[in-house]
Amino acid sequence: LAVLSGPLGTPLDLSAFESGSKALLLGGCYGIAAIYPIARALKERGVKVDCGIEASSAYMLYYENKIKSVSDELFIRTRDGTRGTKGGCADMLKDAEGKYDSVIAIGCVFMMKQCAPKIPQGLANALCALNPIMVDGTGMCGACRVSVAGNTKFACVDGPIFPILEVDFDELG
């Protein structure tokens, strides 16, 4: 091997996602690709999976067919309205109250910060992935330091998946 880095975080614990439950996966930018394997794994567990993807413009969307292949329903949003509905992933949460047991948002920090206050009340799982703040992925640089539920965590060692409502997005910037 020429190069090896790690630990790069911990895997998503799928045990909390029960067969027959409903999950909404939201992907923006790189997060569109990141939700694909999660959606596929949840479908294999018998979870009903709806996916929402966002991009600034239609030409920036990708993986639509892959995401659609593992989704019960696919929602598309573009910031400029050139494809799907105008808006972003946070807008998809407006109608999510009572429809889902879980929400996972993956994308840029700004997108996840927009989603956090719109998470429906009482969800069993409301998660985000803080991959965008990782630099070296080994825990050595400290760039991925984040406050989660008032405790200091490192996205590359303790995450990257965290409860979205416990992340201090204001501190992240």
Side-chain angles (χ1 to χ4, degrees):
L1 295 174
V3 177
L4 177 68
S5 66
L8 300 174
T10 59
L12 173 62
D13 180 9
L14 296 178
S15 65
F17 298 87
E18 298 176 9
S19 179
S21 65
K22 297 177 182 178
L24 174 62
L25 276 57
L26 301 171
C29 302
Y30 88 93
I32 295 172
I35 66 170
Y36 172 71
I38 297 170
R40 186 180 61 213
L42 291 177
K43 290 296 287 182
E44 290 170 1
R45 293 182 67 82
V47 175
K48 180 187 180 295
V49 178
D50 289 350
C51 291
I53 59 174
E54 75 165 30
S56 294
S57 191
Y59 75 91
M60 298 178 82
L61 289 169
Y62 62 98
Y63 257 33
E64 287 180 60
N65 290 333
K66 280 185 167 273
I67 299 292
K68 192 173 190 173
S69 74
V70 293
S71 301
D72 289 292
E73 193 166 354
L74 174 62
F75 307 102
I76 298 172
R77 299 277 175 127
T78 52
R79 296 282 176 187
D80 63 5
T82 54
R83 178 100 162 77
T85 305
K86 187 173 184 174
C89 285
D91 299 320
M92 293 179 224
L93 290 166
K94 290 177 187 173
D95 301 322
E97 189 77 42
K99 289 185 181 179
Y100 300 101
D101 303 300
S102 304
V103 171
I104 300 175
I106 305 177
C108 68
V109 172
F110 179 72
M111 174 269 219
M112 293 182 286
K113 181 179 181 175
Q114 286 183 312
C115 288
K118 296 184 179 178
I119 296 293
Q121 297 295 317
L123 284 180
N125 291 313
L127 306 170
C128 65
L130 297 181
N131 308 67
I133 66 170
M134 288 197 269
V135 177
D136 76 351
T138 65
M140 298 300 292
C141 74
C144 66
R145 185 175 326 200
V146 61
S147 292
V148 179
N151 298 306
T152 300
K153 302 286 184 178
F154 292 90
C156 67
V157 176
D158 304 309
I161 306 291
F162 294 104
I164 193 169
L165 297 176
E166 295 179 8
V167 173
D168 187 341
F169 284 104
D170 290 331
E171 183 181 77
L172 274 178

